[in-house]
């Protein structure tokens, strides 16, 4: 459930009390995190870090508003780290002067150059591919391109969440980078014409729609497949996942689109040393393995293998476009989504 503005402010004030003591806060061995990533995804990593270092992680979790919160708090912000589920918010925060560079070899050596800021103000932590969930019964495809999703042969066959969601904006921005705005506008119009229903829901619900026969193809991130296959509280999600197979789009001009979750050190981090230790930990082998096996994401650290379930979906060639370029073009992508009335 998304946090309300009042909850964000209240939790932020609680962190401020913890951080406000200056030396006392440092002595208490804490690091304060603002996280767009969901608690169930990220808390196991915080627990492992605390077990290893003795440093307590105090976190605010919210779906929206944390970059704005950082900006409003300014020098008085208690936050040491910002964690995001996409590159766009990392670039936005750095562009607003809310991050500081980190030139730590333990981090730089583990995060490839195309998955971090050129000035080292933010770093990717995990990758997820934007793929096609294809019905096993009604869409016997083994290969597809993103461009092909606009082909009239798929008219009334595609489901996806709203076009202005960060996951879709990243893909649209990558299309702009590789093919230009004019092509991407036409592609969006063709994709919209092929939608079975109005864009809605989240990535899991797209698999549900395919299972229910509402559409034959859906756009979604890879890691949701792993989450659904292992879901025990709502076991019907396992049926949704088993009804589809992952097809990795490979376009003529670029490979499979990937986006990242990531981290940055805030400009005024009151617990900077502790925050750097957490950043090193999150980029390190232990945390990257936890990401891979707990969240079914692709580690950015090339030394750490993906989970066996993830590798069973097959291999792909990721787009090597720097995610910073994707984030830079997301406003243009959002404008095109509005221009073609994609969500109408």
């Amino acid at each position: 459930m998304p946090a309300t503005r009042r909850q964000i402010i209240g939790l932020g004030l609680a962190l401020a009390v913890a951080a406000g003591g200056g030396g006392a806060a440092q002595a208490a061995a804490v690091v304060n995190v603002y996280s767009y990533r969901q608690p169930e995804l990220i808390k196991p990593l915080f627990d492992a870090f605390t077990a290893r270092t003795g440093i307590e992680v105090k976190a605010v979790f919210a779906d929206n508003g944390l970059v704005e919160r950082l900006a409003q708090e300014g020098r008085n912000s208690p936050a040491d780290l910002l964690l995001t589920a996409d590159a766009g918010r990392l670039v936005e925060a750095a562009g607003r002067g809310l991050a500081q560079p980190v030139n730590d070899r333990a981090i730089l050596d583990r995060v490839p150059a195309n998955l971090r800021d050129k000035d080292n103000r933010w770093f990717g932590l995990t990758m997820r591919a934007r793929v096609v969930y294809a019905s096993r019964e009604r869409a016997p495809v083994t290969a597809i391109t993103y461009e092909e999703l606009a082909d009239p042969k798929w008219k009334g066959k595609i489901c996806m969440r709203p076009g202005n969601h960060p996951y879709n904006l990243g893909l649209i921005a990558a299309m702009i980078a590789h093919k230009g705005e004019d092509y991407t506008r036409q592609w969006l119009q063709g994709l919209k014409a092929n939608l079975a229903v109005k864009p809605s829901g989240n990535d899991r619900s797209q698999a549900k729609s395919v299972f229910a026969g509402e559409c034959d193809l859906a756009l979604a991130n890879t890691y949701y497949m792993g989450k659904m296959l292992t879901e025990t509280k709502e076991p019907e999600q396992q049926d949704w996942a088993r009804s589809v197979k992952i097809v990795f789009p490979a376009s003529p001009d670029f490979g499979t689109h990937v986006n990242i979750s990531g981290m940055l050190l805030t400009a005024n981090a009151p617990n900077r040393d502790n925050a750097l230790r957490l950043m090193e930990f999150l980029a390190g082998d232990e945390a990257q393995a936890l990401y891979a096996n707990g969240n079914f994401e692709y580690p950015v650290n090339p030394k750490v293998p993906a989970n066996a379930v993830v590798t069973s979906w097959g291999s792909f060639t990721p787009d090597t476009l720097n995610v910073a370029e994707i984030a830079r073009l997301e406003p243009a992508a959002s404008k095109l989504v509005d221009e073609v009335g994609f969500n109408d």
Side-chain angles (χ1 to χ4, degrees), residues 214-264:
E214 295 177 7
C215 47
D216 294 349
L217 304 179
L219 270 174
N221 281 346
T222 41
Y223 71 97
Y224 285 107
M225 179 69 81
K227 302 299 282 187
M228 290 186 291
L229 286 170
T230 56
E231 177 63 55
T232 56
K233 292 182 180 178
E234 298 181 35
E236 63 271 21
Q237 292 191 21
Q238 297 179 27
D239 295 329
W240 307 347
R242 285 192 289 263
S243 75
V244 301
K245 63 181 176 182
I246 285 179
V247 181
F248 293 95
S251 296
D253 298 312
F254 60 104
T256 301
H257 169 66
V258 295
N259 208 324
I260 60 166
S261 71
M263 62 181 175
L264 62 77

Side-chain angles (χ1 to χ4, degrees), residues 42-339:
I42 206 73
K43 193 173 183 303
L45 285 86
F46 293 163
D47 291 343
F49 172 74
T50 299
R52 170 176 279 203
T53 65
I55 299 171
E56 181 183 3
V57 181
K58 296 187 176 182
V60 170
F61 297 96
D63 287 346
N64 295 290
L66 293 178
V67 171
E68 292 75 13
R69 179 75 186 165
L70 268 177
Q72 291 169 4
E73 291 170 339
R75 293 173 132 189
N76 296 319
S77 178
D80 300 301
L81 288 186
L82 176 71
L83 300 183
T84 78
D86 65 295
R89 284 172 170 142
L90 293 171
V91 171
E92 178 190 0
R96 296 174 70 171
L98 303 176
Q100 59 178 292
V102 173
N103 296 302
D104 185 324
R105 293 313 317 178
I107 300 170
L108 295 176
D109 290 345
R110 289 171 173 81
V111 182
N114 69 307
L115 302 177
R116 54 181 159 90
D117 176 55
K118 65 181 180 62
D119 297 317
N120 299 327
R121 295 170 300 173
W122 53 261
F123 302 85
L125 285 173
T126 63
M127 290 187 299
R128 67 286 302 270
R130 197 74 177 149
V131 298
V132 168
Y133 289 0
S135 170
R136 291 185 179 275
E137 293 183 359
R138 302 181 305 278
V141 296
T142 57
I144 200 168
T145 68
Y146 293 112
E147 291 88 339
E148 189 181 340
L149 296 175
D151 190 309
K153 71 181 179 181
W154 295 113
K155 187 173 180 63
K157 302 290 188 181
I158 298 175
C159 290
M160 60 187 290
R161 70 197 302 166
N164 55 356
H165 186 276
Y167 296 161
N168 286 330
L169 286 180
L171 172 59
I172 298 166
M175 189 69 76
I176 293 173
H178 289 291
K179 313 277 280 192
E181 283 197 28
D182 289 343
Y183 177 91
T184 304
R185 181 184 296 105
Q186 294 175 5
W187 175 73
L188 276 176
Q189 290 169 337
L191 177 56
K192 178 187 176 184
N194 288 344
L195 295 178
V197 293
K198 180 179 177 179
S200 65
N202 55 31
D203 279 10
R204 296 191 199 213
S205 63
Q206 308 314 314
K208 180 181 180 181
S209 293
V210 175
F211 172 77
E214 295 177 7
C215 47
D216 294 349
L217 304 179
L219 270 174
N221 281 346
T222 41
Y223 71 97
Y224 285 107
M225 179 69 81
K227 302 299 282 187
M228 290 186 291
L229 286 170
T230 56
E231 177 63 55
T232 56
K233 292 182 180 178
E234 298 181 35
E236 63 271 21
Q237 292 191 21
Q238 297 179 27
D239 295 329
W240 307 347
R242 285 192 289 263
S243 75
V244 301
K245 63 181 176 182
I246 285 179
V247 181
F248 293 95
S251 296
D253 298 312
F254 60 104
T256 301
H257 169 66
V258 295
N259 208 324
I260 60 166
S261 71
M263 62 181 175
L264 62 77
L265 180 66
T266 64
N268 301 291
N271 303 289
R272 187 177 187 276
D273 291 345
N274 293 343
L276 286 173
R277 291 186 68 182
L278 179 54
M279 293 179 77
E280 291 172 350
F281 176 79
L282 292 175
D285 294 1
E286 180 181 352
Q288 289 283 293
L290 284 171
Y291 272 124
N293 294 311
N295 297 339
F296 303 99
E297 295 178 276
Y298 295 94
V300 297
N301 184 337
K303 293 167 113 185
V304 179
N307 177 273
V309 171
V310 174
T311 57
S312 73
W313 301 331
S315 60
F316 66 97
T317 301
D319 187 6
T320 58
L321 182 70
N322 193 293
V323 291
E325 179 67 3
I326 294 172
R328 184 185 72 82
L329 290 170
E330 283 187 1
S334 181
K335 183 179 178 182
L336 286 184
V337 168
D338 292 340
E339 187 178 315

